[in-house]
């Protein structure tokens, strides 16, 4: 009786091991050309460098972002995309990286910016009053009047926005803890099999201030992989350092390429590729010629 149970347990363990081996074998299969095309996407939105002081967050610099991305699984051995997109961090200006880091530099920046923005707000208020007086006293409504009215409306909006920033700066307590963070508000765009664009918004990505080209994973608000896209798998074993690669880049709408993607072959040598930026934009997915995912492009580098 005991031997029979042991045989049954052994048979069950063998079936489970065989099933697990088959499953892992399927997960290790390389991506096809269609998979590479359906894995690529566009990442668009804004990235802000923010000053955090207590419970208040003040944007210091905001940049528009438009770069590439790729749908990716969290674990290579299991379908675990859940709306994850791998891309890279955009770059801020060198002035930002050099002069705004460190608590002492941040305190000096806040104090200096308070004075300069207060002076700028005073000039804007004077200009706004002068424009309002001109519009009230000018009796002829000609083309010049219309242009000045449009300009005055824009100045009112800028003055209101500047006043709001000045108020928020005035509330910053420079004696407390100050730190910098990066906040990204993105949308992900991809093209389905019929070439139609699809789009989904992402949760805000708040990270520490890092270098340009660092890997960045964002998640869509749906927390699921869209139907018809392919999520790459970042397998743990390494590939040769010198190899030919395929870089997948999403091109603008209006082309007849499948899923609006362009596949370009190049060579990778110790982490550096030889492709021009037009065919290897930041965030573009890189594969070996056999379909193994390597990483995403950041400048002339390819990182995982």
């Amino acid at each position: 009786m005991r031997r029979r149970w042991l045989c049954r347990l052994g048979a069950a363990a063998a079936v489970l091991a065989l099933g697990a081996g088959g499953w892992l074998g399927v997960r290790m299969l390389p991506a096809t050309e269609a998979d590479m095309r359906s894995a690529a996407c566009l990442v668009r939105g804004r990235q802000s460098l923010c000053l955090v002081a207590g419970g208040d967050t003040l944007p210091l610099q905001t940049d528009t972002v438009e770069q590439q991305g790729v749908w990716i699984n969290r674990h290579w051995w299991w379908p675990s995309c859940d709306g994850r997109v791998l891309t890279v961090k955009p770059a801020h200006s060198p002035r930002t990286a050099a002069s705004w880091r460190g608590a002492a530099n941040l305190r000096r920046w806040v104090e200096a910016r308070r004075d300069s923005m207060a002076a700028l707000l005073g000039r804007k208020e004077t200009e706004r009053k002068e424009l309002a007086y001109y519009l009230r006293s000018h009796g002829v409504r000609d083309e010049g009047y219309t242009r000045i009215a449009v300009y005055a409306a824009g100045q009112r909006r800028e003055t209101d926005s500047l006043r709001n920033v000045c108020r928020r700066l005035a509330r910053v307590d420079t004696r407390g803890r100050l730190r910098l963070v990066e906040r990204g508000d993105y949308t992900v765009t991809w093209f389905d099999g019929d070439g139609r664009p699809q789009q989904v918004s992402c949760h805000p990505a708040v990270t520490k201030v890092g270098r340009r080209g660092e890997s960045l994973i964002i998640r869509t608000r749906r927390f699921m992989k869209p139907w018809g896209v392919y999520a790459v798998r970042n397998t743990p074993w390494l590939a040769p350092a010198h190899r030919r690669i395929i870089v997948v880049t999403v091109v603008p709408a209006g082309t007849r390429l499948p899923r609006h993607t362009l596949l370009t072959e190049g060579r990778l040598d110790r982490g550096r590729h030889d492709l021009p930026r037009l065919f290897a934009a930041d965030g573009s997915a890189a594969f070996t010629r056999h379909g193994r995912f390597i990483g995403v492009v950041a400048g002339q580098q390819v990182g995982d």
Side-chain angles (χ1 to χ4, degrees):
M1 189 71 177
R2 183 179 179 184
R3 180 177 295 179
R4 185 182 302 173
W5 277 105
L6 290 176
C7 289
R8 289 179 179 178
L9 288 175
V15 170
L16 289 175
L18 187 62
W23 173 260
L24 293 179
V26 171
R27 297 296 295 173
M28 289 163 49
L29 290 175
T32 64
E33 178 181 332
D35 293 336
M36 296 180 194
R37 292 185 183 275
S38 61
C41 59
L42 285 172
V43 177
R44 293 168 171 154
R46 296 174 305 180
Q47 187 194 42
S48 301
L49 184 68
C50 301
L51 172 67
V52 179
D56 196 20
T57 302
L58 180 66
L60 305 180
Q61 176 182 332
T62 300
D63 300 310
T64 301
V65 175
E66 183 169 352
Q67 57 190 39
Q68 305 284 319
V70 59
W71 300 96
I72 189 170
N73 285 299
R74 182 177 182 181
H75 308 292
W76 70 269
W77 42 268
W78 189 258
S80 50
C81 176
D82 298 329
R84 287 179 174 83
V85 173
L86 174 64
T87 184
V88 295
K89 282 189 175 183
H92 288 295
S93 65
R95 175 182 177 276
T96 300
S99 62
W100 287 355
R101 290 188 180 181
N105 290 337
L106 284 175
R107 291 189 181 93
R108 286 195 295 268
W109 179 89
V110 171
E111 293 167 356
R113 186 55 60 95
R114 280 175 180 167
D115 297 336
S116 62
M117 294 191 77
L120 178 60
L121 180 60
R123 293 194 297 269
K124 287 286 186 181
E125 291 283 7
T126 301
E127 182 180 356
R128 188 176 65 116
K129 293 177 181 177
E130 291 175 350
L131 288 171
Y133 174 77
Y134 172 83
L135 294 175
R136 286 196 310 269
S137 60
H138 196 69
V140 181
R141 301 207 168 203
D142 52 8
E143 183 181 354
Y145 180 92
T146 303
R147 291 184 177 180
I148 293 177
V150 173
Y151 176 76
Q155 288 298 305
R156 283 196 300 272
R157 290 192 295 268
E158 291 183 5
T159 304
D160 292 339
S161 177
L162 182 61
R163 186 183 299 107
N164 183 45
V165 173
C166 288
R167 288 173 180 172
R168 298 185 67 180
L169 268 178
R171 292 199 303 265
V172 173
D173 184 7
T174 56
R175 296 169 299 178
R177 181 170 178 263
L178 303 177
R179 60 189 178 96
L180 289 176
V181 297
E182 291 176 326
R183 175 190 169 102
D185 297 281
Y186 305 114
T187 60
V188 176
T189 303
W190 71 99
F191 293 88
D192 59 19
D194 297 327
R196 293 190 299 264
Q198 309 292 330
Q199 183 173 289
V200 63
S201 60
C202 299
H203 287 276
V206 180
T207 59
K208 296 180 180 178
V209 178
R211 302 189 311 274
R212 173 185 182 272
E214 287 185 354
S215 298
L216 174 66
I217 291 183
I218 57 179
R219 294 191 70 178
T220 66
R221 293 187 180 275
R222 297 178 185 174
F223 286 106
M224 59 183 297
K225 180 175 73 68
W227 178 260
V229 305
Y230 176 83
V232 299
R233 301 182 286 270
N234 201 359
T235 50
W237 48 86
L238 300 177
H242 305 273
R243 55 195 183 277
R244 288 193 173 276
I245 61 172
I246 297 175
V247 175
V248 187
T249 306
V250 180
V251 295
T255 64
R256 296 184 178 181
L257 294 170
R259 291 184 180 267
H260 296 266
T261 51
L262 180 66
L263 273 62
T264 310
E265 288 196 25
R267 179 174 290 278
L268 189 69
D269 185 2
R270 303 183 188 279
R272 296 183 63 86
H273 66 84
D274 60 351
L275 293 173
R277 185 176 179 83
L278 179 63
F279 303 112
D282 284 348
S284 296
F287 298 82
T288 65
R289 295 184 66 186
H290 303 292
R292 178 188 176 274
F293 175 68
I294 305 172
V296 290
V297 173
Q300 289 300 123
Q301 302 285 335
V302 175
D304 53 12

